[in-house]
Amino acid sequence: MKMSQKPQETALSKCPGCEEPLEPGDLFCGACGYDLSAVPEPPQDHPTVAMAVPTENDAAVAARAPAARPAAVRFDEPGGSGDFELAAPGAAPGAAPTSTPSAEASAPAPDPRTSAAEPTSTPPAGTKLCVACRAGRVDNDGYCENCGHAQPRERDHMEQELGSVAAVSDRGLRHHRNEDSFAVSTTALPDGSPAVVAIVCDGVSSASRPDEASAAAASAANEALLESLPRGTHPQQAMHEAIVAASESVNSLAEEPGQAMEHDPHRHQNAPACTLVGAVMAGGLLVVGWVGDSRVYWVPDDRTNPPARLTEDDSWAAQMVAAGLMNEAEAYADERAHAITGWLGADAYELEPHTASFKPDRSGLVVVCTDGLWNYAESAAEMAAAVPADAQLRPLHGAQVLVGHALDGGGHDNVTVALLPFAVPPQGAGSACGNT
């Protein structure tokens, strides 16, 4: 789950009807349509204070740590820079993810708490109608002109299946919008062999326009890979270049004029930001790349073999463990555990893309996901247990099941997962992965 560091600017922080978080100036709840103007203003309370980073305790711990990593952090909390060495298939670039209606898209009955009335005139053919009252026109801001109900956003729930790769993204149960994004695609190497790509990005909620940042990063990284892989660029180098391209795309958002200036006068000091994780299957290799705390897991088809986590988080907790100052259980139990130390954005301390190359010698499933999923299946063993047995044959269904696992666990964050089945000829034997 992500945590905003800005003080709440509205008198109501949650909807009295459904307890959904509210935005400043909301007149109706975006989730249930509750008429907020009918709620009396609550008595004055102590304001929420932004978390100070770093704290004195942080400074004391950092002084003992041998690592020389930058101290800058962003908060992207839930409810190693080196490469790893461990012991495919369609042809045209994939289309943009298609959206499917979320649970909100099923039309509820009109809310009796609103003063909605049936419009006297029938809207012209082709007019987008409200899912709540089924009669009012929807304005450009996504609200019904008749009853004021906010309409489901296109990104609340997205699914895409493309050959042997599939991805699902969901808003979750607590967030008012989906700030995750993904891109999946297939292409061919110069020798005609297939290459499969999955990119997953998680917007940083304490930054401005995190949903735009994740979408820009996923699109830019995907496009870069689809350009470089067919030219013969080594997949690991192509992944590095794709992360750089994604970073530049997110950086450019901070300079864009327009609507964001009106609503966020501090956008240059709090630039759009996101994390990124990706996987490429090409030429018998599995290449992963990341910045931030989204992850890649390896789940063998033969579950008697051990699964593995293939990425290391750019986070406060990971730094404490790497420095030997805490064990993993202690670090991830700390309230600062999910403060990320690496992200894409104009205010990032520096860009440090991580890449790793693997050559699996047996078939398995590659799980690429945001912390909205791994918060509910953190260890490799827990993730493997959550993956359906037939996910290799039905990757879209497997991704749907994993998103459901996160929602059943509480759905405190946006949830995004991409699954890439990795097939190896039967003659492969030995350890789970071989050195590249």
Side-chain angles (χ1 to χ4, degrees):
M1 183 171 69
K2 309 174 187 69
M3 179 179 69
S4 171
Q5 298 190 71
K6 294 180 180 179
Q8 183 63 262
E9 297 174 3
T10 182
L12 291 173
S13 61
K14 293 182 180 179
C15 171
C18 66
E19 298 190 348
E20 181 76 7
L22 299 175
E23 296 287 344
D26 281 352
L27 299 179
F28 295 89
C29 173
C32 71
Y34 197 104
D35 184 1
L36 301 175
S37 64
V39 181
E41 183 174 345
Q44 292 296 321
D45 199 355
H46 299 291
T48 302
V49 180
M51 179 175 288
V53 180
T55 64
E56 291 183 2
N57 289 339
D58 288 335
V61 171
R64 301 195 303 272
R69 295 289 299 277
V73 297
R74 275 194 181 279
F75 281 88
D76 191 31
E77 75 170 304
S81 62
D83 291 351
F84 298 115
E85 298 291 341
L86 287 178
T98 56
S99 302
T100 59
S102 66
E104 280 193 359
S106 57
D111 194 326
R113 293 169 297 192
T114 66
S115 57
E118 285 277 338
T120 56
S121 60
T122 302
T127 301
K128 186 176 181 181
L129 298 180
C130 174
V131 299
C133 69
R134 300 180 183 233
R137 284 186 286 251
V138 177
D139 65 21
N140 293 333
D141 293 327
Y143 290 85
C144 176
E145 294 177 348
N146 180 51
C147 69
H149 195 100
Q151 305 302 294
R153 295 177 176 88
E154 185 180 7
R155 283 174 60 175
D156 278 359
H157 186 88
M158 300 181 291
E159 297 184 357
Q160 186 178 6
E161 186 172 33
L162 186 66
S164 63
V165 59
V168 176
S169 182
D170 192 89
R171 188 188 72 174
L173 304 179
R174 302 296 182 89
H175 274 241
H176 70 286
R177 65 181 173 186
N178 190 357
E179 295 168 356
D180 288 357
S181 191
F182 69 81
V184 294
S185 58
T186 62
T187 187
L189 302 181
D191 64 2
S193 62
V196 182
V197 173
I199 302 293
V200 168
C201 297
D202 183 355
V204 178
S205 288
S206 60
S208 62
R209 300 150 65 199
D211 52 333
E212 295 180 37
S214 64
S219 176
N222 184 60
E223 290 175 7
L225 287 164
L226 293 179
E227 290 177 4
S228 59
L229 291 171
R231 292 199 308 262
T233 305
H234 189 280
Q236 191 164 357
Q237 178 63 29
M239 178 62 77
H240 179 94
E241 293 172 359
I243 295 175
V244 172
S247 176
E248 292 172 350
S249 179
V250 177
N251 290 352
S252 67
L253 293 177
E255 303 304 322
E256 286 183 2
Q259 185 175 349
M261 179 68 83
E262 284 180 42
H263 302 297
D264 188 1
H266 304 295
R267 66 190 180 94
H268 289 290
Q269 291 82 5
N270 192 22
C274 68
T275 67
L276 179 148
V277 66
V280 172
M281 299 189 308
L285 293 178
L286 167 60
V287 171
V288 301
W290 73 97
V291 174
D293 63 349
S294 293
R295 295 179 176 180
V296 178
Y297 292 84
W298 169 260
V299 179
D301 285 355
D302 180 356
R303 299 298 178 89
T304 63
N305 293 303
R309 194 177 106 199
L310 306 183
T311 57
E312 293 291 336
D313 299 344
D314 289 321
S315 70
W316 181 92
Q319 285 193 359
M320 295 301 102
V321 174
L325 298 173
M326 291 183 176
N327 63 38
E328 192 163 298
E330 292 171 337
Y332 281 96
D334 193 283
E335 63 181 7
R336 298 163 291 184
H338 289 264
I340 57 175
T341 56
W343 63 87
L344 305 182
D347 60 355
Y349 183 81
E350 64 178 324
L351 178 63
E352 188 179 356
H354 312 294
T355 63
S357 181
F358 306 88
K359 191 173 180 63
D361 63 3
R362 64 191 60 194
S363 297
L365 188 72
V366 183
V367 180
V368 185
C369 65
T370 61
D371 61 344
L373 171 59
W374 68 251
N375 282 328
Y376 301 98
E378 187 166 337
S379 70
E382 290 171 327
M383 184 62 72
V387 172
D390 63 350
Q392 178 88 4
L393 301 175
R394 304 170 63 199
L396 179 59
H397 174 259
Q400 293 167 337
V401 169
L402 288 173
V403 168
H405 177 78
L407 298 181
D408 290 343
H412 284 72
D413 200 356
N414 306 144
V415 190
T416 302
V417 58
L419 298 184
L420 298 84
F422 194 109
V424 174
Q427 63 265 28
S431 61
C433 293
N435 289 338
T436 61

